[in-house]
Amino acid sequence: MSSIEPGTTLRHVLPNGMVALIRRNPGAPTVSVRGEIRVGAAMEPVEQGGLAVFTGAALIRGAGERSFQQIVAETEGRGCSVSAGGGVQASGFAGKALSEDLPLILEVLADMLIRPTFPAVEVERLRSQFLSGLRESEQDTGYRASIAAQAMLYPASHPFSQPSGGTLDSVAAITRDDLARFHRRYHPALTSIAVVGDIDPLAVVAELERRFAGWQITDAPEAVYIPDAPPLTGIQRRDIPMPGKVQADLIWSVHGLRRADPDYYAAMVANMILGQIGMGGRLGEQVREEQGMAYYCYSDIEADLGAGPWMAAAGVSPENVEPAIEAILEEIDLFRQDGPTDEELDDAHAYLTGSLVIGLETSDGIAGSLLGIERHGLGSDYIARYPAIIAAIDHEQVIAAAQKYLSTEVYVLAVAGPV
Amino acid sequence: MSDSVIAHTLPNGMLVLLKEAHGAPVATSWIWYRVGSRNEASGRTGISHWVEHMLFKGTPQIPAGHLDRLVARNGGVFNGFTWIDYTAYYETLPADRIALGLQIESDRMVNALFAEEEVESERTVIISELEGYANEPETWLDEAVKDAAFTRHPYRHPVIGYRADLEAMTRADLYDHYQTFYMPNNAVLVLVGDFNADAMLRQAEAAFADLPAGPPLPQAPTAEPAPQAERRVIVRRPGPAAYVQIGYLAPDCRSPDFAPLAILDSALSGAKSLTFMGGGTQTNRSARLYPALVESGLAASAWSGVTPSRDPYLFELGATASEGVDPAAVEAALIAEVTKIQQDGIAESELARTRKQMRAQVAYSGESVTNQAMQLGMWEALDSYRRVDTLLDELASVSAEDVRRVAQTYLTSHRRTVGYFVPDESA
């Protein structure tokens, strides 16, 4: 490895296939570590809902020679932190420290990924916390609307149809050995780690080589695969009465697209204009600003390894549920018909390119970006190319994306609250 | 940090704080007004927060609905918030666009229109915001605890306000509140970023110097009388779990006892960045509350916090009860942790740990200009911007005996309000 220029990212592949992305950011005497293993809930059997999430959260509960109590005492004692968790398409891990404490957090994170111990007592404590969290989620209007929408969007066999955190029943049934078994699916060749901060990149490479050399899995890596979902037909609606609540959450949704889909940038710009920019794009402007119906109304698109939902959401009082749905559908129709105005398109271009620097101000922000660039194979020059990619998205492409994916005739709708 | 801050007071009384930061081509502009729910009379609760909303609803120069797009097209992010002691607005932008922040804030300090139709539209938006909070069990508990802990001081009512007051508020009420508190001599402008401080100060002067100072501000709110007896409240509503929240009437942030209380809080749940609303980071799992409440199985989670405030506010601790656990057992365990510190103090190792954690917190917040400006502005609104640094010195010189003393002085049963949220489907 030759010398590293300041501000450049060193991408180093370890012999076991693990990818390290290292960048010096000397602004503060700190370091951020963000990583992922592309193993997630998408790979768990339906009856073991929550397994990936539970496994990720359990890594800190005992790893290598250290107990959970030792890990938290040593890290918190120095004002640093380590964490891990599971998601649908990947399991993530992270660390934050003063630069002088980087060796400690790399040592602990390596132990967490490679040799977690899953002590039975700790597993039960964690289970109890998960069950408590699930009880709270199941009384949350936003959560109930979201999982209802997911269940309508995707068939039961599809990984996106179930909440990644599982249910009270499924989490109660997971055993300590289930966690250990799921952990064995983690693989260095499916793992990326970004280290950004006041560090010497070459020294960090050496440290990572030392810490992760022992991570050898003989089985071939099995990557997450998200199948396509069958297209929706007609309108599906579910109303979930929750009498103790004051406000209802409503979610309109259709299928979105994968990050790798050539339509992605056009869809992303479309979503920005429809329901993000400023205080919620057109949806926010109409439902909040014009009609005063909701404190929040926005749209969002989840484009990752799999095609997640493209959804619009609002929190409204019960008497405003139908008017809000009507207003959202009207805005979507209008957008499909006419697409963005020139001003909206210019604003979206300007915002996306202009705000890049803000997202890359901190080491956390940079580390997260590097991880995303690696996950989707966007290339080391992605950030430099980004403004031109966005500038090339024109009115025709945006309206085409809106017409392809958005619909007011084929969609799912979930309403949860005092209805 | 405050050594590298340039402070300049304009002739109209507005303080301008500037700090250069060249780590990234980013800059942030914050304006803080010394007005919050503490300034609200009975019948007018929620007025400061509503005024904050109206500042986004149009001036002659920037019509309603335009401000957010204006910031976005310049690549920026923005927000505003209202708290018990202050209202703040910020824009974070690419460094070469930071003048937009000055333009927006100098304009809306004096020119906000408060148009009738916008006032009406915002009435239902704010009620919708209130209703969203009312979906959360913790909101009900928190409001009940504050209502009981404060008998006279406006801290007793929620920042969002009572629904009845929101329904009755008039445009005249709002505009009067705006004219009373939104003036340069009640404001602090904070600018941090990749700029030249002298040039930036000249731009700030050009934007703000001609804005007229206002008349003297209304008197401080009614002081809370010394509490004489423990107070208890129970909220019964549908909910997923039982929650316990305990608040002790504590000194304001200017007190020499504030630093020892912050250390006490750290011993219970870890050192935190002392910005907006006090808390923010996850409870340390090696601090005292976690083993005592969570590892013991009594609670799914536990927390504590001290909020820097203008007037005496609350030192708080709380927990989410595990299923099947009586909130009384959770309360007993929380109070037992307080009693332990009253009797035995804390260990030197805990002091050392807190100091290291604080050092780390300072370094982490130094990564973001937005965060740095937030800390400078908050402390200036409450006390002095220099407190960002002097508080660290105070914290470093707190002894274990100081911590024991403040625990004995302030965390007493007669200064305490205990609240339970008990899930009850029939309520």
Side-chain angles (χ1 to χ4, degrees), chain A residues 98-397:
Chain A
L98 292 171
S99 346
E100 71 217 38
D101 293 317
L102 179 61
L104 171 67
I105 63 171
L106 287 181
E107 182 186 320
V108 174
L109 284 171
D111 278 345
M112 283 165 60
L113 294 184
I114 301 168
R115 47 190 85 85
T117 52
F118 303 114
V121 167
E122 294 299 333
V123 167
E124 290 318 304
R125 285 176 173 151
L126 189 53
R127 186 198 312 279
S128 174
Q129 287 172 41
F130 270 123
L131 294 176
S132 175
L134 276 170
R135 277 181 214 108
E136 290 181 321
S137 295
E138 291 186 358
Q139 294 208 21
D140 181 274
T141 49
Y143 178 82
R144 292 294 296 275
S146 176
I147 62 173
Q150 275 174 256
M152 288 187 282
L153 280 169
Y154 302 98
S157 56
H158 192 284
F160 290 175
S161 68
Q162 310 295 327
S164 59
T167 64
L168 289 168
D169 288 339
S170 68
V171 171
I174 292 169
T175 68
R176 182 256 170 221
D177 287 346
D178 290 334
L179 302 178
R181 234 185 325 268
F182 193 82
H183 167 256
R184 287 199 282 278
R185 306 179 79 162
Y186 288 17
H187 198 294
L190 298 172
T191 301
S192 314
I193 181 170
V195 182
V196 181
D198 188 19
I199 47 115
D200 169 8
L202 296 180
V204 172
V205 168
E207 188 73 14
L208 291 172
E209 292 264 4
R210 192 159 80 89
R211 294 291 172 199
F212 288 93
W215 197 10
Q216 301 292 338
I217 309 277
T218 46
D219 296 341
E222 184 204 337
V224 160
Y225 165 69
I226 312 288
D228 291 332
L232 298 173
T233 53
I235 297 170
Q236 296 177 68
R237 174 169 174 162
R238 197 169 296 172
D239 290 74
I240 299 114
M242 300 175 72
K245 298 301 177 185
V246 179
Q247 184 172 97
D249 264 285
L250 67 92
I251 296 180
W252 164 99
S253 191
V254 292
H255 290 139
L257 69 175
R258 297 172 196 270
R259 180 62 177 81
D261 195 301
D263 286 340
Y264 169 74
Y265 294 103
M268 190 265 285
V269 171
N271 179 61
M272 181 69 39
I273 295 166
L274 176 65
Q276 285 274 325
I277 200 165
M279 291 206 277
R282 288 205 181 175
L283 294 178
E285 202 176 291
Q286 187 52 229
V287 179
R288 173 175 166 158
E289 299 295 297
E290 286 294 314
Q291 301 195 40
M293 272 198 279
Y295 179 54
Y296 59 91
C297 183
Y298 65 95
S299 68
D300 206 1
I301 191 166
E302 276 180 51
D304 204 321
L305 297 175
W310 192 341
M311 50 82 89
V316 295
S317 61
E319 70 270 16
N320 281 332
V321 167
E322 302 309 323
I325 292 168
E326 211 177 290
I328 289 170
L329 291 173
E330 220 172 282
E331 285 307 312
I332 290 170
D333 249 342
L334 203 56
F335 193 62
R336 291 182 78 252
Q337 265 177 61
D338 302 333
T341 63
D342 289 341
E343 192 189 3
E344 282 173 327
L345 196 53
D346 288 344
D347 285 354
H349 288 152
Y351 174 67
L352 288 167
T353 51
S355 64
L356 257 187
V357 287
I358 295 175
L360 297 172
E361 181 191 6
T362 63
S363 291
D364 280 344
I366 296 168
S369 295
L370 293 178
L371 219 55
I373 290 167
E374 179 65 27
R375 176 193 284 208
H376 299 294
L378 301 174
S380 58
D381 59 346
Y382 175 69
I383 289 170
R385 289 186 297 110
Y386 186 75
I389 292 171
I390 296 303
I393 302 300
D394 61 18
H395 184 273
E396 278 62 51
Q397 291 169 302

Side-chain angles (χ1 to χ4, degrees), chain B residues 30 140 163 217 243 252 359 370:
Chain B
W30 285 71
W140 292 83
R163 191 186 186 116
L217 291 146
Y243 302 89
D252 69 73
R359 181 156 77 87
T370 305

Side-chain angles (χ1 to χ4, degrees), chain B residues 5-9 14-19 28 30 188-192 195 200-201 373 376-381 384-386:
Chain B
V5 172
I6 293 167
H8 180 84
T9 304
M14 190 173 91
L15 177 63
V16 182
L17 301 175
L18 305 108
K19 180 178 182 295
T28 191
W30 285 71
V188 184
L189 179 71
V190 188
L191 297 156
V192 180
F195 49 67
M200 195 79 254
L201 177 56
L376 287 167
M378 186 202 79
W379 280 110
E380 179 57 36
S384 160
Y385 73 92
R386 294 190 187 284

Side-chain angles (χ1 to χ4, degrees), chain A residues 25 27-32 60-61 68-69 72-74 76-83 96-98 100-101 122 125 128-129 132-133 135-137 139-141 243-249 273 277-282 285 287-296 315-319 343-344 346-347 350-358 360-364 418, chain B residues 23-26 49 53 56-57 64-66 68-78 92-95 118 121-138 140 163 237-241 243 282-287 290 294-297 299-301 320-323 352-354 356-357 359-361 363-364 366-370 372 425:
Chain A
N25 179 31
T30 65
V31 58
S32 294
I60 200 175
R61 292 282 169 160
F68 169 62
Q69 289 75 17
V72 296
E74 280 187 59
E76 291 171 357
R78 300 192 197 188
C80 52
S81 66
V82 293
S83 63
K96 182 86 186 169
L98 292 171
E100 71 217 38
D101 293 317
E122 294 299 333
R125 285 176 173 151
S128 174
Q129 287 172 41
S132 175
R135 277 181 214 108
E136 290 181 321
S137 295
Q139 294 208 21
D140 181 274
T141 49
K245 298 301 177 185
V246 179
Q247 184 172 97
D249 264 285
I273 295 166
I277 200 165
M279 291 206 277
R282 288 205 181 175
E285 202 176 291
V287 179
R288 173 175 166 158
E289 299 295 297
E290 286 294 314
Q291 301 195 40
M293 272 198 279
Y295 179 54
Y296 59 91
V316 295
S317 61
E319 70 270 16
E343 192 189 3
E344 282 173 327
D346 288 344
D347 285 354
Y351 174 67
L352 288 167
T353 51
S355 64
L356 257 187
V357 287
I358 295 175
L360 297 172
E361 181 191 6
T362 63
S363 291
D364 280 344
Chain B
V26 174
H49 173 247
H53 271 237
F56 292 90
K57 299 296 279 189
H66 283 223
D68 55 327
R69 289 175 182 279
L70 181 57
V71 175
R73 85 171 63 99
N74 281 275
V77 295
F78 69 95
T92 298
L93 291 144
E118 299 295 351
S121 172
E122 241 13 55
R123 188 187 312 273
T124 47
V125 170
I126 290 171
I127 289 174
S128 175
E129 188 181 347
L130 179 153
E131 290 175 343
Y133 300 145
N135 268 11
E136 312 293 326
E138 289 99 324
W140 292 83
R163 191 186 186 116
R237 283 185 64 80
Y243 302 89
Q282 185 191 317
T283 292
N284 270 202
R285 293 173 287 188
S286 61
Y290 190 87
V294 180
E295 296 205 314
S296 65
S301 62
T320 303
S322 294
E323 184 156 61
R353 191 186 70 195
T354 296
K356 177 74 193 266
Q357 289 178 346
R359 181 156 77 87
Q361 289 293 336
Y364 299 147
E367 287 194 55
S368 150
V369 296
T370 305
Q372 289 180 62
E425 290 303 311

Side-chain angles (χ1 to χ4, degrees), chain B residues 33 57 112 201 222 231 237 246 301 315 358-359 391 395:
Chain B
Y33 293 98
K57 299 296 279 189
L201 177 56
T222 312
R231 298 155 199 181
R237 283 185 64 80
I246 302 174
S301 62
F315 182 102
M358 296 268 177
R359 181 156 77 87
L391 181 61
L395 293 166

Side-chain angles (χ1 to χ4, degrees), chain B residues 298-318:
Chain B
L298 288 171
S301 62
W303 56 274
S304 70
V306 60
T307 303
S309 57
R310 280 292 296 273
D311 303 317
Y313 195 59
L314 299 177
F315 182 102
E316 297 180 89
L317 58 167

